[in-house]
Amino acid sequence: MDEKGFFHWTASLTCSALGDSELTRQTLKMKRHYLLTLVCFWAITCSLIPSSDGLRRIGLKKRLLDLASIKAARQARLEGNYGTSLINRQIKLSDSDGDIVYLKNYMDAQYYGEISIGSPPQNFTVIFDTGSSNLWVPSSKCYFSIACYFHSRYKASKSSTYTKNGKPCSIHYGSGSISGYFSQDNVGVGDVVVKDQVFIETTREGSLTFVLAKFDGILGLGFQEISVGDAVPVWYNMVDQGLVDEEVFSFWLNRDPTAEVGGEIVFGGVDPKHYKGDHSYVPMTEKGYWQFEMGDFLIGNQSTGFCEGGCAAIVDSGTSLLTGPTTVVTQINHAIGAEGVVSAECKEIVSQYGDMIWDLLVAGVQPKQVCSQIGLCYSDGAQSVSSNIEMVVDKQTNEGTSVGENPLCTACQMAVVWMKNQLNNQEVKEKVLDYVNQLCESIPSPGGEALIDCNAISSMPNVTFTIAEKAYVLTPEQYILKTGEGPAAICVSGFMALDVSPPRGPLWILGDVFMGVYHTVFDYGNLRLGFAEAA
């Protein structure tokens, strides 16, 4: 892990003594260093504050960090692979019944709070992550990793409720690894205590970046289907032990950089102070991550044509930004004037094969077959694959790709989507080819992110997600991350390119940028997600 921060990180996790349960998450490689220096972020000092309405809260503070560390954090999150459940494979609400944990806001990018483990309680700062399902914290037996000495460590010998498990487990990241073993003890979340919770004690943290992390561990809020070692998640035990009245939890993420409280997660209900109107719900389509089907995506009032037939999407509190297919993120970057990396392969496709692609589309050839017909990709019957890339299906099924991998095939597939969309708008060929050439210049860097002219925010278009036939609009002020003022201001697009291959992809990940605008209810009892305008 290269410090948890600007972007959600996940890893591949394996437990040697617990069968074949294995979680792996896909990623992009980190972009080379940009000319950016200091940015603001929220960090933290937590204290447990009981409230008069019976809800439990945890406070926060803030501090500074440089962009290099933020990029390192992003690499840690993204240099793994998607979990096996992703690859293979939420009521009555009351403001007085829930258990609230206030969250810390890390540069409008990560939100985390405090839990306790053991008797008497030992406190830890954790990310509440709907994109994973295990709880892990550093162990007092972590002797040979410097990172452990910079974080709170669990001392089993100090807890009267500890039960030994001992089965080994390892967590592999793109830039390092964690290893340890399973243990069992009571876990405090807010004012409730989850008894006999199985969690991971890490005994080795194999990357210097763990030293810089502003959190101790992770508390996963995904489903047991993606839990390492099939360990029962904390949320499941909260429900089974009758610690919540309703089988829901909800997130409010505060995007106000001056606010004292970074947000809150409510277990067993919602806080009506933090949303407007009613929630609109969409059913889950996959159980593992909080996955649903998203409809068309629009830039301004114009459809991108990419998700007209539906796209898979997940809501992930551990992902800072909004990630989507490179094809669409490139269109967004172009529309908002983002500075991306020029792709020679993309321009080569347009110059050498543009006319041929146009003719095939006009002739009615299915877009997914065009690139294989012109010899740039080969087709396995379900998807096109670059003809000059070694097959790795047996090693890692459906691994996602980023710009720079499978370059000609990837560039061709993007050009086909862009041209097909323009053809639907009845544009002439010359105009379309010129437009696609411009899009080539807006392809994101290998890390997926793009810089924005802060002075142009007011003229940028809105973007719209369609979920269950309802439009969820984000304004430029909401999807652009801005730090600093005047000449020192730095703006980064809230959209990041991340490609997941069929049949699980294309996949959108609606992270904190979306959740900050739309209060989100995770309805575990009814297997649905609810969204309402945040207040």
Side-chain angles (χ1 to χ4, degrees), residues 498-510:
L498 182 66
D499 294 311
V500 179
S501 301
R504 292 305 170 195
L507 179 74
W508 286 85
I509 301 178
L510 307 189

Side-chain angles (χ1 to χ4, degrees), residues 192-415:
V192 302
V193 176
V194 181
K195 295 183 178 180
D196 303 322
Q197 175 66 47
V198 174
F199 65 100
I200 300 169
E201 283 191 60
T202 62
T203 57
R204 189 173 187 87
E205 300 183 0
S207 174
L208 178 62
T209 54
F210 281 99
V211 175
L212 304 176
K214 307 304 178 185
F215 64 97
D216 301 315
I218 297 292
L219 192 155
L221 292 170
F223 290 83
Q224 190 170 358
E225 280 77 357
I226 60 170
S227 175
V228 174
D230 201 35
V232 178
V234 173
W235 168 246
Y236 280 47
N237 281 328
M238 291 178 73
V239 172
D240 292 344
Q241 295 176 23
L243 301 177
V244 293
D245 291 338
E246 302 291 339
E247 295 183 13
V248 302
F249 58 89
S250 57
F251 273 84
W252 168 64
L253 304 183
N254 193 349
R255 305 301 277 184
D256 180 359
T258 65
E260 182 71 14
V261 174
E264 71 178 18
I265 176 173
V266 181
F267 293 100
V270 301
D271 187 340
K273 298 190 299 293
H274 295 312
Y275 65 92
K276 302 174 184 177
D278 298 321
H279 289 84
S280 296
Y281 289 89
V282 59
M284 289 182 56
T285 56
E286 290 280 346
K287 197 176 176 185
Y289 300 109
W290 289 88
Q291 183 171 329
F292 63 97
E293 183 172 284
M294 188 180 82
D296 199 10
F297 179 82
L298 295 80
I299 303 173
N301 295 319
Q302 182 68 47
S303 168
T304 61
F306 197 85
C307 291
E308 287 180 328
C311 281
I314 65 174
V315 181
D316 188 352
S317 62
T319 293
S320 306
L321 304 186
L322 295 156
T323 80
T326 300
T327 303
V328 183
V329 172
T330 297
Q331 293 182 66
I332 298 170
N333 284 344
H334 175 71
I336 67 180
E339 298 178 1
V341 174
V342 177
S343 170
E345 291 86 359
C346 184
K347 286 183 169 290
E348 181 180 353
I349 292 297
V350 177
S351 63
Q352 295 191 21
Y353 300 95
D355 289 336
M356 190 180 304
I357 292 173
W358 177 271
D359 292 341
L360 289 172
L361 290 173
V362 170
V365 175
Q366 290 297 311
K368 64 176 62 177
Q369 299 298 326
V370 169
C371 295
S372 59
Q373 287 201 20
I374 63 179
L376 294 176
C377 305
Y378 66 86
S379 177
D380 64 0
Q383 61 179 318
S384 294
V385 187
S386 174
S387 58
N388 61 345
I389 297 296
E390 179 184 359
M391 284 289 288
V392 292
V393 174
D394 291 337
K395 178 180 179 182
Q396 196 157 24
T397 306
N398 292 330
E399 181 178 1
T401 60
S402 62
V403 178
E405 299 174 356
N406 313 338
L408 294 178
C409 179
T410 300
C412 178
Q413 291 170 333
M414 288 192 293

